[in-house]
Amino acid sequence: MSPDHDHRPSDLDRTERPPHALVSGASIAGTATAFWLHRLGWRVTILERATGFRAGGQNIDVRGSGREVLDRMGLTEAVRARTTTEVGTRFVDEHDRPVGEFPTVPGEGDGLTAELEILRGDLATLVADTLPAEVRWLYGDRITAVRETADGVEVDLAGGGRESADLLVVAEGVRSSTRDLIMDDVVHDPLGLYLAYGTIPRTDDDDRWWRWYTAPGSRQATLRPDNRGTVRATLAYLSDSTGLETADHDAVVSSLQQTFADVGWQVPRILDGYADTDDLYVDFLEQIRLPHYARGRVVITGDAAWSVTPLAGGGATLALVGGYVLGAALSRWDGTSAGLDRALSGYEQWMRPFVDQVQKLPPGVPRLAYPHSRLGVSLLRGATTLAGTRPGRKVGRLLGSGPQADQPLPPFG
Ligand SMILES: Cc1cc2nc3c(=O)[nH]c(=O)nc-3n(C[C@H](O)[C@H](O)[C@H](O)COP(=O)(O)OP(=O)(O)OC[C@H]3O[C@@H](n4cnc5c(N)ncnc54)[C@H](O)[C@@H]3O)c2cc1C
C-alpha cells in the first residue's frame, strides 16, 4: 500500500461527514481505540473474530502511564471496584513456606502485584460498556483482503461481506492475521517459554496472595486469586520446541501432565483443574516487533504491533496508552491523505520509545528465572529472600513499579 501525498478531491471533507474507523479486534487495544475515536466524533465499527464479546481471560494489571490514561477515560474507580483483590506476591518452597514476600502497600506504589489488578475480560468489558449504541459491532467475521481505495480502505470479510472506512485499525493481538496480510516484515522474537493458564476451583487453603513456586527442570507454577470465587493457575516451562499452542485441550493436558509429573506443591491439583476447565489456554511466548506501525490507511496497535508478553509485563498498559495516543494523533488530522500520514507517524514516534522500554527484558530473563538445577533453584530462592526484605523491596520500587513513559501523554488537538 503506498499512500498518496497529494491533496486529492477524494480527501475527506470533515465538514460534511465524520470519518469512519473500522477497528478489528475487540479486546483492550480495540475498545480503547474505539473509545477515543468516538470521543473525536468518528463513526466506529468494531469487528471481532469471535462470535460474541470475549469476557474471559486472566489477571492483568494497569500501571504507570496506563493509570494516567485510565484516569482520563474516567475509569479508575470502576477498575478499582473490580480488582482481583490480590494483596501481594509470595514466593514459596515445595512445602508452601514463604521464601520471599512482596506485599502491595497502599500509597507505596505498585510492587510485583499492582494496585490495579483486574481480569482481562473485566477491563475490556468496562471500556466496551462506555461505547454508545451508535458504535457498530460485527461478530464472527474476519478480514481476508485489504485494499487501499481513492478515498480510504476497503476490506473483504471471510463471511462474504465488504466494509470500507477512512482508517483500518488492527488490534487483533499477538497472532493478528490482518497484520500478516499487509506486512511481510513482522519480526517474531520467541522467548523459549510455554505458559499455560486456566481457571480452577478455589479451596480453603487459597488466600489473597499470588503464590509462586519454582521447581528444578526450568518449571514454574503460580496461583492467583480472582473476584469470582475461583483461582487462576499458571504453569510455565522453558522449551525450544513449539506446537502445543495449536493442540486440542486433551493433548495440552496430557503434555502438561508429563512435563509436570514430578513437581509437587499444588501442581497435581492444578493439572486436575486444567483437565476439567473449559478455559485452558497455552501459548509459546513471543515478542512482536514491526518496522512501522502504519501503512497507508492501516494502523496497528496493541499486542499485534508490539506484543511484550507477560514476562515483560505491561501489555494491557500499552494497549490503553496506544488507544489514547492514536486518538490524540488523529485529533490533529486535517482530513487529507498527507495529514493522515503525519498523524500516524506522530502516533508511531510517541509510542516507539515507550514500547522499546517496556519490551526490554531484565538480563538473564527467562533463563535465570527458570533454573534447571536444584542449585539454581536454591540460589534463586536466596536472591528472592534478599529482595523480599524491607530494604530490598525499597530498592525494587526505586527501580520502577511499571511502564511509565519518559514523555508526558500527548494532548488532544
Ligand atoms: C497469562 C497472561 C498474563 C498477562 N498479564 C499481564 C499483566 O500482568 N499486565 C499487563 O499489562 N498485561 C498482561 N498480559 C497481556 C495482556 O493481556 C495483553 O497485552 C492485552 O490484553 C493487549 O490486548 P490487545 O487488545 O492488544 O490483544 P488481545 O487481548 O490479544 O485481543 C485481541 C482481540 O482480537 C480478536 N482477534 C484476533 N484475531 C482477529 C481477527 N483476525 N479478526 C478480528 N478479531 C480478531 C481476539 O479475539 C481478541 O478479542 C497478560 C497476558 C497473558 C496471556
Side-chain angles (χ1 to χ4, degrees), residues 24-31 47-50 54 58-63 117 120 141-143 171-178 195 197 210 224 234 281 283 285 301-304 306 308-310 313-319:
S24 184
S27 180
I28 300 168
T31 55
L47 170 70
E48 166 59 46
R49 186 181 53 180
R54 297 179 68 181
Q58 304 296 318
N59 311 46
I60 57 165
D61 54 28
V62 182
R63 298 169 184 251
E117 295 279 349
R120 187 210 64 83
D141 219 338
R142 69 187 162 79
I143 294 167
E172 299 174 355
V174 58
R175 312 252 177 265
S176 168
S177 55
T178 307
L195 177 62
Y197 51 101
W210 180 7
R224 304 187 81 168
T234 65
Y281 181 76
D283 204 8
L285 300 192
T301 193
D303 277 13
W306 52 61
V308 288
T309 77
T317 288
L318 279 177

Side-chain angles (χ1 to χ4, degrees), residues 91-399:
F91 293 85
V92 297
D93 67 10
E94 53 277 24
H95 306 293
D96 208 36
R97 287 181 303 225
V99 294
E101 272 188 4
F102 302 83
T104 300
V105 184
E108 280 194 10
D110 290 326
L112 286 172
T113 291
E115 206 191 329
L116 297 185
E117 295 279 349
I118 184 168
L119 297 180
R120 187 210 64 83
D122 283 354
L123 180 55
T125 303
L126 275 177
V127 182
D129 282 351
T130 65
L131 301 175
E134 61 259 31
V135 168
R136 202 169 137 240
W137 293 80
L138 299 175
Y139 284 113
D141 219 338
R142 69 187 162 79
I143 294 167
T144 53
V146 182
R147 285 178 299 281
E148 199 162 329
T149 61
D151 58 354
V153 59
E154 193 174 73
V155 302
D156 294 340
L157 301 179
R162 186 169 283 180
E163 289 284 324
S164 54
D166 296 293
L167 180 69
L168 169 62
V169 181
V170 177
E172 299 174 355
V174 58
R175 312 252 177 265
S176 168
S177 55
T178 307
R179 170 199 64 205
D180 295 348
L181 272 181
I182 61 156
M183 291 207 175
D184 49 15
D185 35 15
V186 179
V187 177
H188 297 253
D189 192 358
L191 300 184
L193 184 77
Y194 261 111
L195 177 62
Y197 51 101
T199 309
I200 65 169
R202 188 178 160 83
T203 68
D204 289 343
D205 290 339
D206 291 319
D207 53 24
R208 293 276 153 219
W209 287 82
W210 180 7
R211 281 184 292 161
W212 194 309
Y213 174 61
T214 302
S218 309
R219 294 167 295 179
Q220 248 175 26
T222 80
L223 291 169
R224 304 187 81 168
D226 65 19
N227 54 345
R228 301 282 203 283
T230 45
V231 168
R232 308 294 167 139
T234 65
L235 293 178
Y237 62 101
L238 292 185
S239 167
D240 288 327
S241 60
T242 59
L244 199 59
E245 64 280 10
T246 50
D248 67 24
H249 177 270
D250 290 351
V252 170
V253 171
S254 136
S255 169
L256 291 173
Q257 280 166 343
Q258 281 175 27
T259 306
F260 284 83
D262 57 328
V263 179
W265 190 58
Q266 304 270 337
V267 171
R269 168 195 163 202
I270 295 175
L271 290 168
D272 287 349
Y274 279 1
D276 290 337
T277 189
D278 58 5
D279 76 348
L280 177 61
Y281 181 76
V282 63
D283 204 8
F284 187 68
L285 300 192
E286 58 180 26
Q287 294 193 329
I288 295 291
R289 294 174 219 281
L290 296 184
H292 300 289
Y293 295 156
R295 187 158 289 176
R297 294 266 175 168
V298 186
V299 61
I300 307 181
T301 193
D303 277 13
W306 52 61
S307 159
V308 288
T309 77
L311 264 194
T317 288
L318 279 177
L320 287 170
V321 173
Y324 173 90
V325 173
L326 185 55
L330 290 170
S331 71
R332 281 178 218 96
W333 181 31
D334 57 9
T336 66
S337 294
L340 185 62
D341 285 349
R342 278 195 299 277
L344 296 182
S345 72
Y347 157 73
E348 173 157 349
Q349 274 167 24
W350 198 98
M351 286 304 297
R352 196 170 280 284
F354 189 32
V355 168
D356 288 348
Q357 173 200 326
V358 182
Q359 277 190 329
K360 215 171 278 163
L361 292 169
V365 170
R367 298 273 154 194
L368 286 180
Y370 291 79
H372 187 72
S373 66
R374 284 189 184 282
L375 174 65
V377 171
S378 301
L379 290 173
L380 181 66
R381 286 185 186 163
T384 309
T385 305
L386 211 62
T389 58
R390 195 178 277 269
R393 291 205 299 260
K394 209 166 171 185
V395 172
R397 268 196 288 272
L398 285 176
L399 290 176

